[in-house]
Amino acid sequence: MTDQTVAGEVGRARPRKEDARLITGQTNWTDNISVNGLLHMTILRSPMAHARITGVDVSPARRRPGVIAAFSGADLAEGLGSLPCAWPVTEDIVLPDHPPIAVDEVRHAGDPVAVVVARDRYAAADALEAIEVDYEPLPPVLDLEAALAEDSPLVHSDKGTNRCYVWPLKTGEDFDSVRQRAEVTLKRRYHQQRLIPNAMEPRAVVVTPLAASGEYTLYSSTQIPHILRVMMAVVTGTPEHKIRVVAPDVGGGFGSKLQVYGEEALALAVARRLGRPVKWTESRSEGYLATHHGRGMIQDIEIAAHRDGRLLGLKVDLLTDMGAYLMLVTPGIPILGAFMYPAIYKMDSYDFTCTGVFTTRTPTDAYRGAGRPEATFAIERIMDELAAELGLDPVELRRRNWIRHEEFPYTSIAGLTYDSGHYEAATAKALELFDYDKLRAEQADRIAHGDTVRLGIGVSTYTEMCGLAPSRVLRDLRYAAGGWEAATIRMLPTGKVEVVTGTSPHGQGHVTSWSQIAADVLGVPFEDVEVVHGDTKAAPQGMDTYGSRSLVVGGTAVHHAAVKVVDKARKIAAHLLEASEQDLDFTGGVFSVKGSPEARKTIQEVAFETFTSHDLPDGLEPSINAEHLVDPENFSYPHGTHLCAVEVDTETGQARIRSYVCVDDVGKVVNPTIVEGQVHGGLAQGIAQALFEEAVYDDEGNLVSGTMADYLVPAAPDLPDFTAERTETPATSNPLGVKGVGEAGTIASTPAVVNAIVDALRPLGVRDVRMPCSPERIWRAIQAGQSARSGQSGKSDQSGQSGQFGKGAPA
C-alpha cells in the first residue's frame, strides 16, 4: 500500500462530491426510472372541498385507448388501511381515518377519488376526464375560530367536533400572578399563513413487484425511506421484509417529502393487483393540492415585563390548522415550537396552549423549520413591540434578557437544557458588519426630512432545537419513533472505504460531509471514501433525514463507527508489529510503534491483512468493519443574530431589502461551503414567507393560488446579497461539537424582515403587517395607521392587526 499523508478534512471547504452527477445530468430521479412492462398511474381528484360521494363510474375510462385498469375508492378499499399519524400528541386526540383514496366523502380539494392505469401517462391522464363522479356538496370548514363553534359544520361528522387536541405546557410561576405584578403587558395576534413546499423535483413513486416471492421494490422521492418501509407494511398489509424502499436522487424536500403519502400506498396496491410495475409522478399543479402544506396558524401572544425591560413571563395561545387529516407528524409540528417561544430569554413564567383544528383544506405537516420558525417569529415580533412600548432600542432590550455565555449550560423556562452558546459574540459581530449605528442615524434623518421612502431595521436573535433527538424525550412527547441513527464503516481489501448511513440526503451534501468525517478519523484520502445511502436493502438501519438531525446524529454515528474501525485495526496492527496496543500511535492513517517510527502499518495495509486473514491474532474475527447506533443525549442548539435593513416606499407600499447580515453559530463546521449554502437557502425561504408566499383559499375552499402563476416563489433577482458570517461555540453533546444548520436561516429571517418593515412604518402608526407583506398590504396598513393616528377610526386595534386584516380575512 502507498503511504499518503492526509491533511485534516473537517473544516475544509471541499466541493461537493454529489454535484458532478447533478450538473452533468447523470442523475437518477424517480421519474427517470423505467422498467419492462411499466404502467402509468394517474389520479382523479375532487374539485370540491367538502362533499359526499354518491356515485363513481370508472367504466368509461376503462374503454379509453391504452387504458389497462381504472379503480374507484371502493374498488381499492380492501387491503388498504388508514394512512398513519405517528405523533398522537395527547391521549384524547381525535384521530380520524385517513384513507389513501376517498370512498364515501371528500374533505379537501385534491382528495383522490379514482385511479387510472394505462400504458403511458398521457393516455392515463386523458382517461380521467371520462370518469363520472356524483357529489353531494357539504359546507366547507375554513375559519379556525368558527370551526370550534358548537354549530359549525364538521369535517369528520363521526367525531362530533373539529377540535383535534388541546396541548398545554405551563412552567414556572403562574402567569396570572406574573401579569398582576408586571409593570407592562402587551398582547398581539400574529398569523402564520399557509405555505406550499416547492421542491425542485416533484413527488414520484415507482413500484416493481416480484410476483414469485411477493416482494416489492418501491422507489420514491422521499426523505424517509426507512420510515416509509415500515408504514407501507402497516398500510398495505405487505410484510415488511418483502418491501424494499429506495430513495434515488431526490431533488429537495423542505419537509414535504417527510411523509407517507396516499399515492405511495396506491401505487403499491395497484402493482400488487395487476402484477405489473407502476409509476406515478405528480404535476406541479397537482402537487399544490396534494402535497402537504406548511404553517397555518393564529398566534395570540401576551408578554409581561418590568418597566426596565426585564421579562417576567410569556403566554402563548395557538390555533393551528391541521387541514382535513392528520398526516405523519401533523399534530406534533406546533408542539416542537412549544419549547422555542421563550427563545434565548430568561423569564419567570411560561404558559403555552395549542389547539389543533380540522379544516377542509390540504393537510399541513412539516415545512422547513417545523414549528420553530413560527415560535421565533412570535417572540421576536413581540420583543420589538415591547421595545417600542418601553422606548428601548430593540437590541438593548434583547441584551437585557438573554442568557449570558457564562451561564451555560442553562435550562430554559420551557425545560430545555441549552448546552452552549454565546449570544453576545454573535450579536456584536452582526452589529459591526451591519453598521447598525450608521443605519439608525440614516433612519432618523429620513424621518426628520419627511422622506416618502422610509428605512426600517429588523432584528432577530434566535436559537432552535434540532437534531431530533433523545428517544426517551420523544417517548414522553408521544412520538411513535426514536431519535437514534445508524452508520457502518466497511474497509475494503484495496484500502477504500464505504460509509453506510441511515440518513437519506436530498441536497444537503451528506456524501461530502460524511466522507470528510470518516477520512479524518481513519486517516485515508477523502477521495477514497464512498457513501451508501437511501436504500433499505443496502443501508437497512436508519431514521432518515429531517429536523436538521443528519450531521448532529447521523454524522456522529459515522464518527463513532470510524473510531471503532481504528480500535479494531489497532489490535491487528499491534499483532503484525509485534507490539502492545498501548505502544502504538495512530496518526494520519498510520500505526507506528512509539520510539520506533520505522515500525509502521497503514490502516489500508491492516485492511488487506484482515482480508487475507493469514496472520491474525487467535480468536479475532477477520474484519475491522464496524457499525454504530447513536441515540443523542440532547438536542442541538444553533443560534445567531440576523439584521435586516428594508426601504419602504410609503406611496406604493413597495418594500426592498437593502442589506441583510446574519451571524450564525452552528458549532464546529465540517464544510464551510455547505454551511453557507444551507444558510443562503434558508434565508430565501424565510424571506419568501415574509414577502411573497401564501396559499390562498376562496370561500368555497378552493385553492386559488394553485399554480406557479398564482403562488409567488421568489427567484434570485427578488433576493438581496447576503453577508453571512459565523461565530463558533462547539456543542458539548456530541464528539464533533456540531450543531444543525439546515433550518437556521428560515427560522431567523422571517421576523427580521417583518420587524424591519414595521420599524420603518411605526412612526406612521403601523404596528403590524400581515404576511406576506405585499405592497398592497403594506399600503393598506399605512392608510389604517394614519387614520388611527388622526382619530378618524378611533383607537388602534389592540390585536396588533390593521382592521382590514383582522377577523374574517382568509387564514
Side-chain angles (χ1 to χ4, degrees):
M1 299 291 177
T2 302
D3 184 19
Q4 180 173 349
T5 301
V6 181
E9 284 293 339
V10 170
R12 293 183 66 182
R14 283 278 193 181
R16 299 198 328 170
K17 285 184 174 183
E18 300 91 326
D19 289 347
R21 285 195 344 276
L22 298 174
I23 64 178
T24 58
Q26 300 177 62
T27 48
N28 188 35
W29 312 116
T30 301
D31 191 51
N32 294 150
I33 295 169
S34 183
V35 295
N36 289 335
L38 182 67
L39 300 176
H40 294 265
M41 183 177 82
T42 56
I43 296 172
L44 183 67
R45 300 185 181 278
S46 169
M48 307 185 72
H50 198 194
R52 191 170 290 111
I53 300 173
T54 59
V56 180
D57 185 1
V58 297
S59 58
R62 291 173 179 154
R63 295 192 288 269
R64 288 294 185 97
V67 171
I68 302 298
F71 305 102
S72 67
D75 295 331
L76 293 173
E78 186 176 354
L80 279 178
S82 178
L83 293 173
C85 173
W87 205 338
V89 295
T90 63
E91 289 187 11
D92 59 351
I93 188 172
V94 175
L95 285 169
D97 285 339
H98 184 185
I101 183 169
V103 177
D104 301 314
E105 193 170 316
V106 293
R107 294 182 171 88
H108 69 90
D111 225 355
V113 294
V115 168
V116 170
V117 186
R119 291 188 176 90
D120 65 68
R121 69 177 63 188
Y122 306 106
D126 289 344
L128 291 178
E129 65 185 21
I131 297 174
E132 298 172 1
V133 183
D134 295 325
Y135 297 101
E136 179 184 313
L138 295 171
V141 179
L142 301 170
D143 185 282
L144 295 181
E145 294 175 303
L148 298 178
E150 288 187 7
D151 59 349
S152 172
L154 298 176
V155 180
H156 300 275
S157 57
D158 60 319
K159 299 302 180 183
T161 181
N162 290 320
R163 182 178 284 103
C164 177
Y165 67 87
V166 178
W167 193 93
L169 175 65
K170 300 185 180 187
T171 62
E173 188 178 344
D174 180 71
F175 187 82
D176 288 337
S177 65
V178 161
R179 183 193 288 122
Q180 290 175 7
R181 64 185 176 90
E183 296 171 303
V184 180
T185 61
L186 289 180
K187 293 182 180 180
R188 294 291 186 267
R189 167 169 283 201
Y190 301 122
H191 289 258
Q192 294 283 329
Q193 77 271 37
R194 274 177 168 251
L195 301 175
I196 300 176
N198 277 275
M200 198 170 279
E201 178 206 16
R203 290 192 296 118
V205 59
V206 174
V207 178
T208 61
L210 187 61
S213 58
E215 296 177 78
Y216 300 89
T217 298
L218 188 153
Y219 301 89
S220 180
S221 54
T222 182
Q223 299 175 217
I224 53 167
H226 298 90
I227 295 173
L228 180 58
R229 182 191 190 207
V230 173
M231 294 305 184
M232 281 297 97
V234 171
V235 174
T236 68
T238 306
E240 184 184 349
H241 66 288
K242 298 288 188 179
I243 301 174
R244 173 189 179 189
V245 175
V246 179
D249 291 314
V250 178
F254 313 123
S256 69
K257 295 172 184 175
L258 164 57
Q259 195 53 266
V260 177
Y261 282 105
E263 293 87 356
E264 291 159 325
L266 290 172
L268 198 156
V270 169
R272 180 171 60 189
R273 178 172 293 205
L274 299 179
R276 296 270 298 274
V278 171
K279 176 190 286 187
W280 171 81
T281 302
E282 71 178 1
S283 66
R284 185 64 69 176
S285 57
E286 185 180 22
Y288 274 45
L289 287 170
T291 297
H292 75 241
H293 293 177
R295 314 287 193 255
M297 180 186 294
I298 298 173
Q299 303 169 306
D300 287 310
I301 313 296
E302 183 176 358
I303 197 165
H306 289 300
R307 179 60 61 182
D308 65 4
R310 186 171 65 84
L311 298 183
L312 289 171
L314 184 70
K315 191 174 193 300
V316 177
D317 288 295
L318 305 182
L319 287 180
T320 184
D321 189 349
M322 304 285 96
Y325 302 101
L326 301 183
M327 299 193 77
L328 190 64
V329 290
T330 301
I333 296 304
I335 305 310
L336 279 176
F339 300 95
M340 285 286 97
Y341 281 85
I344 66 174
Y345 307 119
K346 295 179 284 189
M347 59 188 73
D348 302 329
S349 173
Y350 178 48
D351 188 327
F352 173 94
T353 304
C354 178
T355 302
V357 183
F358 289 112
T359 64
T360 52
R361 296 189 184 98
T362 300
T364 58
D365 209 297
Y367 180 79
R368 196 171 190 168
R372 282 75 51 82
E374 297 93 310
T376 300
F377 180 87
I379 184 63
E380 290 304 289
R381 281 290 297 114
I382 204 165
M383 284 295 283
D384 259 34
E385 294 298 298
L386 181 60
E389 177 72 18
L390 298 173
L392 288 173
D393 181 274
V395 175
E396 177 58 27
L397 176 65
R398 289 163 169 83
R399 184 178 286 116
R400 294 183 185 186
N401 287 285
W402 65 38
I403 303 155
R404 302 194 64 80
H405 70 276
E406 63 268 16
E407 297 179 279
F408 289 95
Y410 185 90
T411 300
S412 77
I413 188 68
L416 299 177
T417 300
Y418 300 167
D419 65 317
S420 68
H422 202 314
Y423 309 139
E424 306 98 306
T427 303
K429 188 170 185 178
L431 292 171
E432 181 182 359
L433 291 167
F434 193 64
D435 209 347
Y436 185 81
D437 291 338
K438 183 177 179 181
L439 284 169
R440 283 292 184 200
E442 180 185 343
Q443 179 186 48
D445 185 65
R446 291 195 187 199
I447 293 172
H449 288 86
D451 198 329
T452 58
V453 178
R454 295 296 178 96
L455 178 65
I457 297 170
V459 181
S460 175
T461 52
Y462 80 99
T463 188
E464 67 152 323
M465 54 182 285
C466 60
L468 198 64
S471 295
R472 292 181 180 181
V473 172
L474 298 180
R475 172 203 62 194
D476 294 342
L477 293 174
R478 302 180 61 84
Y479 183 59
W484 55 267
E485 194 48 78
T488 300
I489 305 287
R490 296 197 290 246
M491 291 293 300
L492 305 182
T494 55
K496 309 303 180 184
V497 180
E498 288 181 336
V499 175
V500 182
T501 178
T503 66
S504 186
H506 44 283
Q508 293 88 345
H510 292 185
V511 172
T512 302
S513 299
W514 284 204
S515 294
Q516 291 179 270
I517 292 168
D520 256 12
V521 176
L522 300 172
V524 302
F526 168 81
E527 295 78 10
D528 286 356
V529 183
E530 187 61 53
V531 178
V532 178
H533 61 81
D535 182 338
T536 60
K537 189 171 184 179
Q541 296 186 98
M543 291 301 296
D544 304 318
T545 295
Y546 39 86
S548 297
R549 71 184 301 272
S550 294
L551 178 60
V552 176
V553 191
T556 296
V558 171
H559 169 85
H560 283 301
V563 169
K564 286 183 175 180
V565 168
V566 174
D567 290 343
K568 285 187 172 185
R570 183 183 298 275
K571 296 180 184 299
I572 298 172
H575 174 76
L576 295 172
L577 294 170
E578 298 180 344
S580 70
E581 292 180 46
Q582 293 73 24
D583 287 338
L584 292 188
D585 288 327
F586 181 70
T587 305
V590 177
F591 293 99
S592 60
V593 180
K594 296 175 181 177
S596 301
E598 70 282 355
R600 62 208 306 271
K601 288 284 184 182
T602 67
I603 196 168
Q604 293 100 325
E605 289 173 318
V606 174
F608 186 77
E609 293 285 354
T610 306
F611 167 70
T612 65
S613 300
H614 291 169
D615 185 16
L616 294 185
D618 292 341
L620 195 68
E621 63 178 354
S623 171
I624 58 172
N625 297 343
E627 70 174 10
H628 190 88
L629 278 76
V630 63
D631 198 338
E633 63 185 54
N634 195 0
F635 297 93
S636 82
Y637 301 97
H639 69 83
T641 296
H642 288 222
L643 300 171
C644 179
V646 172
E647 292 181 327
V648 182
D649 188 324
T650 58
E651 295 180 335
T652 66
Q654 184 68 45
R656 182 184 72 86
I657 298 177
R658 184 169 119 181
S659 62
Y660 196 103
V661 168
C662 60
V663 175
D664 295 293
D665 192 321
V666 297
K668 286 285 188 180
V669 171
V670 174
N671 188 310
T673 301
I674 290 175
V675 167
E676 187 173 350
Q678 287 286 332
V679 170
H680 282 199
L683 292 174
Q685 281 189 274
I687 292 170
Q689 178 173 9
L691 295 179
F692 301 111
E693 297 187 22
E694 182 177 24
V696 178
Y697 286 82
D698 66 16
D699 291 342
E700 300 301 317
N702 301 303
L703 181 66
V704 297
S705 57
T707 72
M708 279 191 159
D710 309 298
Y711 185 90
L712 185 55
V713 179
D718 300 309
L719 299 169
D721 291 333
F722 304 123
T723 299
E725 297 287 345
R726 293 185 298 277
T727 55
E728 184 176 296
T729 53
T732 63
S733 57
N734 65 77
L736 295 171
V738 296
K739 304 176 183 180
V741 69
E743 298 160 312
T746 304
I747 288 169
S749 57
T750 308
V753 174
V754 177
N755 276 343
I757 292 170
V758 175
D759 184 61
L761 302 178
R762 196 178 298 279
L764 303 178
V766 175
R767 292 197 317 198
D768 192 33
V769 180
R770 185 166 161 182
M771 297 185 294
C773 301
S774 64
E776 180 183 357
R777 283 185 170 173
I778 292 173
W779 185 86
R780 289 184 179 276
I782 293 169
Q783 307 313 304
Q786 291 177 329
S787 295
R789 292 178 72 217
S790 64
Q792 294 176 17
S793 57
K795 293 182 179 180
S796 60
D797 178 8
Q798 294 303 305
S799 72
Q801 296 290 335
S802 301
Q804 66 276 9
F805 301 136
K807 188 173 180 180

PDB file of all heavy atoms in Angstrom, residues 267-283:
ATOM      1  N   ALA A 267     -49.932   3.173  -5.371  1.00  0.00           N
ATOM      2  CA  ALA A 267     -49.065   2.565  -6.378  1.00  0.00           C
ATOM      3  C   ALA A 267     -48.715   1.134  -5.999  1.00  0.00           C
ATOM      4  O   ALA A 267     -48.702   0.231  -6.853  1.00  0.00           O
ATOM      5  CB  ALA A 267     -47.795   3.400  -6.548  1.00  0.00           C
ATOM      6  N   LEU A 268     -48.449   0.901  -4.712  1.00  0.00           N
ATOM      7  CA  LEU A 268     -48.143  -0.464  -4.287  1.00  0.00           C
ATOM      8  C   LEU A 268     -49.367  -1.362  -4.435  1.00  0.00           C
ATOM      9  O   LEU A 268     -49.265  -2.499  -4.914  1.00  0.00           O
ATOM     10  CB  LEU A 268     -47.640  -0.454  -2.847  1.00  0.00           C
ATOM     11  CG  LEU A 268     -46.876  -1.702  -2.389  1.00  0.00           C
ATOM     12  CD1 LEU A 268     -45.943  -1.374  -1.224  1.00  0.00           C
ATOM     13  CD2 LEU A 268     -47.803  -2.829  -1.965  1.00  0.00           C
ATOM     14  N   ALA A 269     -50.534  -0.844  -4.040  1.00  0.00           N
ATOM     15  CA  ALA A 269     -51.759  -1.646  -4.131  1.00  0.00           C
ATOM     16  C   ALA A 269     -52.078  -2.003  -5.581  1.00  0.00           C
ATOM     17  O   ALA A 269     -52.477  -3.132  -5.886  1.00  0.00           O
ATOM     18  CB  ALA A 269     -52.928  -0.894  -3.498  1.00  0.00           C
ATOM     19  N   VAL A 270     -51.916  -1.046  -6.489  1.00  0.00           N
ATOM     20  CA  VAL A 270     -52.220  -1.297  -7.902  1.00  0.00           C
ATOM     21  C   VAL A 270     -51.198  -2.258  -8.501  1.00  0.00           C
ATOM     22  O   VAL A 270     -51.553  -3.171  -9.266  1.00  0.00           O
ATOM     23  CB  VAL A 270     -52.256   0.034  -8.674  1.00  0.00           C
ATOM     24  CG1 VAL A 270     -52.304  -0.213 -10.176  1.00  0.00           C
ATOM     25  CG2 VAL A 270     -53.460   0.868  -8.234  1.00  0.00           C
ATOM     26  N   ALA A 271     -49.924  -2.086  -8.183  1.00  0.00           N
ATOM     27  CA  ALA A 271     -48.896  -3.001  -8.679  1.00  0.00           C
ATOM     28  C   ALA A 271     -49.148  -4.419  -8.170  1.00  0.00           C
ATOM     29  O   ALA A 271     -48.959  -5.401  -8.904  1.00  0.00           O
ATOM     30  CB  ALA A 271     -47.512  -2.520  -8.251  1.00  0.00           C
ATOM     31  N   ARG A 272     -49.584  -4.536  -6.928  1.00  0.00           N
ATOM     32  CA  ARG A 272     -49.888  -5.845  -6.361  1.00  0.00           C
ATOM     33  C   ARG A 272     -51.074  -6.479  -7.072  1.00  0.00           C
ATOM     34  O   ARG A 272     -51.065  -7.668  -7.383  1.00  0.00           O
ATOM     35  CB  ARG A 272     -50.179  -5.690  -4.862  1.00  0.00           C
ATOM     36  CG  ARG A 272     -50.508  -6.975  -4.132  1.00  0.00           C
ATOM     37  CD  ARG A 272     -50.550  -6.752  -2.624  1.00  0.00           C
ATOM     38  NE  ARG A 272     -51.558  -5.760  -2.243  1.00  0.00           N
ATOM     39  CZ  ARG A 272     -51.674  -5.268  -1.009  1.00  0.00           C
ATOM     40  NH1 ARG A 272     -50.839  -5.661  -0.057  1.00  0.00           N
ATOM     41  NH2 ARG A 272     -52.615  -4.396  -0.729  1.00  0.00           N
ATOM     42  N   ARG A 273     -52.074  -5.677  -7.375  1.00  0.00           N
ATOM     43  CA  ARG A 273     -53.271  -6.219  -8.019  1.00  0.00           C
ATOM     44  C   ARG A 273     -53.005  -6.609  -9.466  1.00  0.00           C
ATOM     45  O   ARG A 273     -53.490  -7.652  -9.938  1.00  0.00           O
ATOM     46  CB  ARG A 273     -54.405  -5.189  -7.966  1.00  0.00           C
ATOM     47  CG  ARG A 273     -55.677  -5.655  -8.657  1.00  0.00           C
ATOM     48  CD  ARG A 273     -56.839  -4.719  -8.419  1.00  0.00           C
ATOM     49  NE  ARG A 273     -57.266  -4.728  -7.029  1.00  0.00           N
ATOM     50  CZ  ARG A 273     -58.501  -4.414  -6.623  1.00  0.00           C
ATOM     51  NH1 ARG A 273     -59.418  -4.087  -7.505  1.00  0.00           N
ATOM     52  NH2 ARG A 273     -58.809  -4.427  -5.353  1.00  0.00           N
ATOM     53  N   LEU A 274     -52.231  -5.795 -10.183  1.00  0.00           N
ATOM     54  CA  LEU A 274     -52.009  -6.058 -11.609  1.00  0.00           C
ATOM     55  C   LEU A 274     -50.785  -6.926 -11.871  1.00  0.00           C
ATOM     56  O   LEU A 274     -50.623  -7.444 -12.984  1.00  0.00           O
ATOM     57  CB  LEU A 274     -51.854  -4.730 -12.365  1.00  0.00           C
ATOM     58  CG  LEU A 274     -53.060  -3.774 -12.316  1.00  0.00           C
ATOM     59  CD1 LEU A 274     -52.744  -2.502 -13.094  1.00  0.00           C
ATOM     60  CD2 LEU A 274     -54.315  -4.446 -12.854  1.00  0.00           C
ATOM     61  N   GLY A 275     -49.899  -7.046 -10.883  1.00  0.00           N
ATOM     62  CA  GLY A 275     -48.683  -7.808 -11.089  1.00  0.00           C
ATOM     63  C   GLY A 275     -47.736  -7.142 -12.075  1.00  0.00           C
ATOM     64  O   GLY A 275     -46.912  -7.814 -12.708  1.00  0.00           O
ATOM     65  N   ARG A 276     -47.841  -5.838 -12.224  1.00  0.00           N
ATOM     66  CA  ARG A 276     -47.027  -5.087 -13.176  1.00  0.00           C
ATOM     67  C   ARG A 276     -46.390  -3.893 -12.462  1.00  0.00           C
ATOM     68  O   ARG A 276     -46.945  -3.355 -11.503  1.00  0.00           O
ATOM     69  CB  ARG A 276     -47.912  -4.556 -14.327  1.00  0.00           C
ATOM     70  CG  ARG A 276     -48.565  -5.641 -15.199  1.00  0.00           C
ATOM     71  CD  ARG A 276     -47.680  -6.021 -16.358  1.00  0.00           C
ATOM     72  NE  ARG A 276     -47.421  -4.912 -17.254  1.00  0.00           N
ATOM     73  CZ  ARG A 276     -48.214  -4.556 -18.281  1.00  0.00           C
ATOM     74  NH1 ARG A 276     -49.348  -5.216 -18.507  1.00  0.00           N
ATOM     75  NH2 ARG A 276     -47.863  -3.552 -19.081  1.00  0.00           N
ATOM     76  N   PRO A 277     -45.235  -3.422 -12.925  1.00  0.00           N
ATOM     77  CA  PRO A 277     -44.654  -2.206 -12.355  1.00  0.00           C
ATOM     78  C   PRO A 277     -45.532  -0.991 -12.650  1.00  0.00           C
ATOM     79  O   PRO A 277     -46.120  -0.884 -13.741  1.00  0.00           O
ATOM     80  CB  PRO A 277     -43.299  -2.078 -13.036  1.00  0.00           C
ATOM     81  CG  PRO A 277     -43.131  -3.259 -13.895  1.00  0.00           C
ATOM     82  CD  PRO A 277     -44.400  -4.003 -13.974  1.00  0.00           C
ATOM     83  N   VAL A 278     -45.596  -0.069 -11.701  1.00  0.00           N
ATOM     84  CA  VAL A 278     -46.472   1.091 -11.800  1.00  0.00           C
ATOM     85  C   VAL A 278     -45.682   2.345 -11.416  1.00  0.00           C
ATOM     86  O   VAL A 278     -44.925   2.337 -10.437  1.00  0.00           O
ATOM     87  CB  VAL A 278     -47.704   0.941 -10.881  1.00  0.00           C
ATOM     88  CG1 VAL A 278     -48.496   2.233 -10.808  1.00  0.00           C
ATOM     89  CG2 VAL A 278     -48.586  -0.202 -11.363  1.00  0.00           C
ATOM     90  N   LYS A 279     -45.885   3.421 -12.193  1.00  0.00           N
ATOM     91  CA  LYS A 279     -45.259   4.708 -11.886  1.00  0.00           C
ATOM     92  C   LYS A 279     -46.330   5.790 -11.765  1.00  0.00           C
ATOM     93  O   LYS A 279     -47.284   5.836 -12.537  1.00  0.00           O
ATOM     94  CB  LYS A 279     -44.267   5.115 -12.982  1.00  0.00           C
ATOM     95  CG  LYS A 279     -43.635   6.505 -12.769  1.00  0.00           C
ATOM     96  CD  LYS A 279     -42.860   6.982 -13.986  1.00  0.00           C
ATOM     97  CE  LYS A 279     -41.553   6.252 -14.141  1.00  0.00           C
ATOM     98  NZ  LYS A 279     -40.725   6.838 -15.245  1.00  0.00           N
ATOM     99  N   TRP A 280     -46.117   6.675 -10.774  1.00  0.00           N
ATOM    100  CA  TRP A 280     -46.926   7.880 -10.660  1.00  0.00           C
ATOM    101  C   TRP A 280     -46.000   9.058 -10.432  1.00  0.00           C
ATOM    102  O   TRP A 280     -45.089   9.002  -9.600  1.00  0.00           O
ATOM    103  CB  TRP A 280     -47.908   7.793  -9.494  1.00  0.00           C
ATOM    104  CG  TRP A 280     -48.607   9.097  -9.208  1.00  0.00           C
ATOM    105  CD1 TRP A 280     -49.684   9.615  -9.847  1.00  0.00           C
ATOM    106  CD2 TRP A 280     -48.229  10.066  -8.211  1.00  0.00           C
ATOM    107  NE1 TRP A 280     -50.015  10.844  -9.319  1.00  0.00           N
ATOM    108  CE2 TRP A 280     -49.136  11.150  -8.317  1.00  0.00           C
ATOM    109  CE3 TRP A 280     -47.221  10.124  -7.262  1.00  0.00           C
ATOM    110  CZ2 TRP A 280     -49.061  12.265  -7.488  1.00  0.00           C
ATOM    111  CZ3 TRP A 280     -47.126  11.238  -6.433  1.00  0.00           C
ATOM    112  CH2 TRP A 280     -48.050  12.297  -6.553  1.00  0.00           C
ATOM    113  N   THR A 281     -46.204  10.138 -11.174  1.00  0.00           N
ATOM    114  CA  THR A 281     -45.461  11.384 -10.980  1.00  0.00           C
ATOM    115  C   THR A 281     -46.461  12.527 -10.966  1.00  0.00           C
ATOM    116  O   THR A 281     -47.290  12.648 -11.866  1.00  0.00           O
ATOM    117  CB  THR A 281     -44.435  11.616 -12.105  1.00  0.00           C
ATOM    118  OG1 THR A 281     -43.527  10.508 -12.159  1.00  0.00           O
ATOM    119  CG2 THR A 281     -43.645  12.900 -11.875  1.00  0.00           C
ATOM    120  N   GLU A 282     -46.365  13.376  -9.962  1.00  0.00           N
ATOM    121  CA  GLU A 282     -47.320  14.468  -9.852  1.00  0.00           C
ATOM    122  C   GLU A 282     -46.975  15.587 -10.826  1.00  0.00           C
ATOM    123  O   GLU A 282     -45.810  15.828 -11.146  1.00  0.00           O
ATOM    124  CB  GLU A 282     -47.355  15.024  -8.429  1.00  0.00           C
ATOM    125  CG  GLU A 282     -46.113  15.807  -8.028  1.00  0.00           C
ATOM    126  CD  GLU A 282     -46.189  16.395  -6.622  1.00  0.00           C
ATOM    127  OE1 GLU A 282     -47.197  16.178  -5.933  1.00  0.00           O
ATOM    128  OE2 GLU A 282     -45.225  17.065  -6.217  1.00  0.00           O
ATOM    129  N   SER A 283     -48.008  16.252 -11.299  1.00  0.00           N
ATOM    130  CA  SER A 283     -47.801  17.522 -11.988  1.00  0.00           C
ATOM    131  C   SER A 283     -47.598  18.606 -10.935  1.00  0.00           C
ATOM    132  O   SER A 283     -47.920  18.425  -9.760  1.00  0.00           O
ATOM    133  CB  SER A 283     -49.012  17.863 -12.855  1.00  0.00           C
ATOM    134  OG  SER A 283     -50.142  18.113 -12.030  1.00  0.00           O
TER     135      SER A 283
END
